[in-house]
Amino acid sequence: MDKLAVVFGGSGFLGRQVVRALCRDGWRVRVAVRRPHQAIELRVEGDVGQVQLVQTNIRSQLSVAQAVEGAQIVINLVGVLVETGRQKFSSLHAIGAESIAKAAAAAGANQMIHVSAIGADEQSQSSYARSKGKGERLVREAFPRATILRPSVLFGPGDGLFERFAGLARMAPIVPVPGADTKMQPVYVGDVTKAVMAAVDNTDTTAKTYELGGPEILTLGQIVAFTVEQIDRRRVILPVPDFFARILGFIGEMLGMVPFVKPFLTRDQVILLGADNVVADDALGLSDLGLTSLETVQAIVPSTLVRFRRYGQFHEKRTA
């Protein structure tokens, strides 16, 4: 195992699967995380000594440089949907991404894979989308050969989409849905992992950008309706106009100031929901990475939502 891959954000939803896939492919994996003790379970994803956890703060260039030392491939999966404390969109998605790209270039890495998001745009009204767009530009400037992957919303066990709405529907008789008509192209986290690995194994992907979307396009309203159906809860799905959505976003941000409370919605997320999140017609996609057999929402999500049903795995769905 002489080949070394360094993964930033390896303890996240996508990162854990990428670390596992790299181990299966025979890589030594160095996982750069802020809090190694919270990612200790990653060490059992490979053989003894195959996974190394290193404490890294991507806001510190020295810390990042030490993390990538000796790496053949550097993978950046860092991303947050909500700003907390010093974890700001600009410092993580833009400045942090630039630090990683510069360090990868200085360390002589053969390749860098940067995971961004569909909708990344420096001109966007959304702070999240602006920071993602700026991050892509800075990565390209620092490491021109970087492969950039832009997934749509991810789904799978432990996701923040279907399970988020399932948790809300379990508690509330009315489920408010801002941006109910917004189109999304949910993509299975396992398929995005395969895309990352395809980029690892294929140098033809260098200096290219790929948009990753699943096999079907759904509105957010359809996603919520499917979720409620799968957990067998009778709920009113209430589309929320933009004005009231912004008020909900403000309330969510206020609640997010309470320690250990995650905001259910922010004003920036409301802005994001104002634009469709689907693969552009002229974009390179999963098929260009050799991935054509993609998992569907219907095949994966029902089993992940079992715990939200009234009697869990023993629940019998009502027929009327």
Side-chain angles (χ1 to χ4, degrees):
M1 292 186 294
D2 293 330
K3 51 186 185 178
L4 171 64
V6 176
V7 182
F8 291 83
S11 62
F13 178 55
L14 172 61
R16 293 171 185 272
Q17 298 223 19
V18 170
V19 169
R20 187 177 303 132
L22 286 166
C23 288
R24 287 198 300 264
D25 205 33
W27 287 83
R28 269 195 309 123
V29 185
R30 183 181 296 154
V31 186
V33 290
R34 279 195 307 145
R35 299 186 177 96
H37 66 280
Q38 293 183 351
I40 196 70
E41 69 277 7
L42 290 175
R43 298 187 66 174
V44 301
E45 296 294 352
D47 294 333
V48 175
Q50 188 174 4
V51 177
Q52 175 192 13
L53 303 179
V54 294
Q55 197 284 327
T56 307
N57 184 345
I58 67 169
R59 299 193 304 273
S60 165
Q61 292 185 1
L62 177 61
S63 178
V64 172
Q66 291 173 338
V68 303
E69 186 176 346
Q72 282 78 53
I73 287 184
V74 176
I75 302 174
N76 179 28
L77 307 175
V78 175
V80 295
L81 287 172
V82 177
E83 295 180 318
T84 57
R86 296 183 180 179
Q87 302 299 99
K88 304 298 185 183
F89 293 145
S90 60
S91 62
L92 298 180
H93 300 161
I95 299 171
E98 180 185 32
S99 294
I100 293 170
K102 284 182 175 180
N110 299 327
Q111 192 176 5
M112 177 177 177
I113 299 169
H114 175 69
V115 175
S116 181
I118 287 179
D121 181 2
E122 285 194 80
Q123 306 306 315
S124 174
Q125 294 183 344
S126 160
S127 298
Y128 172 88
R130 281 200 309 274
S131 67
K132 284 289 189 178
K134 184 176 180 180
E136 289 186 4
R137 176 174 60 79
L138 294 175
V139 166
R140 277 271 184 260
E141 291 174 356
F143 201 109
R145 304 189 313 279
T147 300
I148 294 178
L149 304 179
R150 292 174 151 194
S152 183
V153 291
L154 303 182
F155 71 87
D159 67 42
L161 179 62
F162 291 93
E163 294 195 17
R164 182 179 185 182
F165 280 107
L168 180 60
R170 180 169 59 179
M171 297 184 296
I174 299 175
V175 183
V177 184
D181 294 328
T182 299
K183 295 177 182 177
M184 298 182 173
Q185 200 167 347
V187 58
Y188 179 50
V189 64
D191 288 331
V192 176
T193 300
K194 291 178 181 177
V196 172
M197 295 306 298
V200 167
D201 296 331
N202 185 358
T203 56
D204 289 341
T205 67
T206 57
K208 295 179 182 178
T209 298
Y210 297 82
E211 295 196 350
L212 315 180
E216 59 185 332
I217 294 174
L218 301 169
T219 67
L220 184 56
Q222 289 173 323
I223 287 172
V224 176
F226 178 80
T227 301
V228 171
E229 177 188 0
Q230 292 304 312
I231 66 174
D232 198 24
R233 307 267 183 174
R234 292 194 176 104
R235 298 293 186 260
V236 175
I237 299 174
L238 181 66
V240 179
D242 183 67
F243 174 76
F244 292 105
R246 289 176 184 270
I247 294 175
L248 284 176
F250 177 75
I251 294 172
E253 290 172 20
M254 294 300 102
L255 291 175
M257 293 181 180
V258 178
F260 309 111
V261 175
K262 291 184 178 181
F264 58 86
L265 185 69
T266 68
R267 285 171 291 181
D268 197 71
Q269 289 172 350
V270 172
I271 296 173
L272 281 174
L273 290 172
D276 292 339
N277 194 280
V278 299
V279 174
D281 293 336
D282 59 348
L284 295 173
L286 285 165
S287 60
D288 298 289
L289 291 167
L291 303 174
T292 54
S293 181
L294 306 178
E295 295 288 359
T296 65
V297 167
Q298 291 79 6
I300 299 295
V301 171
S303 62
T304 70
L305 297 183
V306 166
R307 65 189 180 92
F308 295 97
R309 297 171 187 166
R310 190 175 301 276
Y311 304 110
Q313 61 179 317
F314 304 105
H315 183 85
E316 293 185 6
K317 194 172 182 179
R318 289 172 292 194
T319 56

